Amino acid sequence: METKKLLFILVATLSLATGLTSCHGSKIQSDASGTFEATEVIVSSEANGKILSFTAEEGSSLEAGQLIGTIDSTQLYLKKKQLLASVQAVQSRRPEISKQIASLQQQIATQKTEKHRFENLVKAGAANQKQLDDINSGLAVLEKQLIAQQSSLSTSDRGMIEDAAAFRAQIDQLNDQLAKCRIVNPLSGTVLTKYVEPNEVTAQGKPLYKIADTGNMKLRAYVTNGQLSEIKLGQTVKVYIDKGDNDMKEYSGKIEWISDKAEFTPKTIQTKDERANLVYAVKIAVKNDGLIKIGMYGEVKFN
């Protein structure tokens, strides 16, 4: 009996000490708690081929827009050279319309001069009307020939321009594919997992690495139905992490999401109301100074 009594006193003393440490050591009465998470992005290959270089390492920090690798683009480059040569060949075959119609234009000009001369001769009675009519007929034929030649040459020129435009569109496609052979990191963050190594062959859509935006963390906490009236979107709150030795580090956070559906309390989460049956998840955005890690526990105070 005495042994049971002593054990009861010991348990009660330990519970009281734990409670005092929680309340007075950290000096924080939190309204909710949860774990930190970050926006994770799986970066996949946008090209097919052998990975020539890949510098991303797990745990390393990368900047947005940073070049971290290249994929073999030899065949794409050679195809681009072929298309550029095709454009040059088309351009060289384009007709020089002004030069090719110059002869007809000269003949028309000569015929018009002759027509003017014979008109004067006919008026003077030195030539007959038949000669002037023949000149007018010949002039009409030359002008029709000029119109037909201009139309033919213009049609041929337009066709070649369209051919060159089609080749240029293919070159633009190749330029886009060549750009995708450069592995460019899409956002600033920390590499969580890498899936490939240099000299491996990759394919379009194959994951290369996973990166998380650890500069902007989110605390997923849970609140009871009674606490919903105390919070709102955009509200500034205080977030705390454990620094050790019963010390807490404070951060400023902002509520950016409140779930519209209740769920059962996760086993590892404690709320203000001693694990109510149903709770609501909230996400609180926190600017990270490097101390907050993914999966770390945090506490939040709404007021």
Side-chain angles (χ1 to χ4, degrees), residues 44-49 51 71 200-208:
S44 299
S45 174
E46 295 184 278
N48 303 322
I51 300 173
I71 297 171
E200 290 184 8
V201 176
T202 188
Q204 190 174 22
K206 181 179 179 180
L208 300 176

Side-chain angles (χ1 to χ4, degrees), residues 101 104-105 108 142-151:
I101 64 174
L104 274 175
Q105 287 176 329
I108 289 171
L142 289 173
E143 286 176 339
K144 287 180 180 179
Q145 288 178 350
L146 176 63
I147 293 171
Q149 189 170 8
Q150 284 178 322
S151 176

Side-chain angles (χ1 to χ4, degrees), residues 24-242:
H24 301 290
S26 65
K27 299 180 181 180
I28 295 172
Q29 292 290 335
S30 64
D31 295 315
S33 63
T35 55
F36 285 99
E37 56 187 38
T39 301
E40 298 180 359
V41 174
I42 294 178
V43 181
S44 299
S45 174
E46 295 184 278
N48 303 322
K50 183 178 180 181
I51 300 173
L52 300 180
S53 64
F54 188 66
T55 59
E57 296 294 340
E58 293 179 358
S60 62
S61 296
L62 302 178
E63 296 296 327
Q66 181 178 340
L67 178 65
I68 60 169
T70 55
I71 297 171
D72 183 23
S73 59
T74 303
Q75 294 303 315
L76 293 174
Y77 175 72
L78 292 175
K79 190 172 182 180
K80 179 182 175 180
K81 284 186 66 176
Q82 182 183 11
L83 288 171
L84 287 171
S86 297
V87 171
Q88 287 294 108
V90 169
Q91 295 284 23
S92 66
R93 292 198 304 271
R94 285 183 61 186
E96 296 186 47
I97 297 176
S98 60
K99 290 183 179 180
Q100 293 187 7
I101 64 174
S103 175
L104 274 175
Q105 287 176 329
Q106 182 61 45
Q107 291 179 54
I108 289 171
T110 302
Q111 198 77 344
K112 285 181 177 180
T113 302
E114 194 71 4
K115 173 185 175 182
H116 181 68
R117 187 171 70 84
F118 267 83
E119 284 175 343
N120 292 331
L121 289 173
V122 169
K123 288 178 182 179
N128 58 50
Q129 184 64 39
K130 173 78 169 52
Q131 291 176 303
L132 180 59
D133 291 342
D134 289 342
I135 291 173
N136 284 330
S137 177
L139 179 60
V141 171
L142 289 173
E143 286 176 339
K144 287 180 180 179
Q145 288 178 350
L146 176 63
I147 293 171
Q149 189 170 8
Q150 284 178 322
S151 176
S152 176
L153 291 172
S154 296
T155 300
S156 177
D157 190 51
R158 282 196 303 271
M160 292 184 182
I161 290 174
E162 290 170 359
D163 288 343
F167 286 134
R168 289 194 181 96
Q170 293 180 55
I171 291 171
D172 290 339
Q173 289 179 331
L174 286 175
N175 285 335
D176 180 63
Q177 293 175 23
L178 285 167
K180 289 176 179 177
C181 288
R182 302 170 72 252
I183 305 172
V184 179
N185 183 55
L187 76 160
S188 298
T190 302
V191 178
L192 302 180
T193 311
K194 61 181 296 188
Y195 304 111
V196 297
E197 296 290 344
N199 298 316
E200 290 184 8
V201 176
T202 188
Q204 190 174 22
K206 181 179 179 180
L208 300 176
Y209 63 101
K210 182 193 292 185
I211 188 169
D213 180 11
T214 52
N216 298 284
M217 304 292 287
K218 292 177 178 61
L219 176 65
R220 179 186 283 269
Y222 294 85
V223 299
T224 61
N225 184 63
Q227 291 175 299
L228 282 177
S229 60
E230 303 176 18
I231 62 175
K232 62 181 179 180
L233 292 175
Q235 178 180 336
T236 300
V237 298
K238 294 179 181 178
V239 176
Y240 301 89
I241 64 169
D242 189 359

Side-chain angles (χ1 to χ4, degrees), residues 247-261:
D247 190 16
M248 306 292 282
K249 182 173 176 60
E250 179 181 321
Y251 294 86
S252 176
K254 182 178 288 187
I255 299 176
E256 65 173 19
W257 175 78
I258 302 174
S259 175
D260 58 353
K261 295 180 181 178

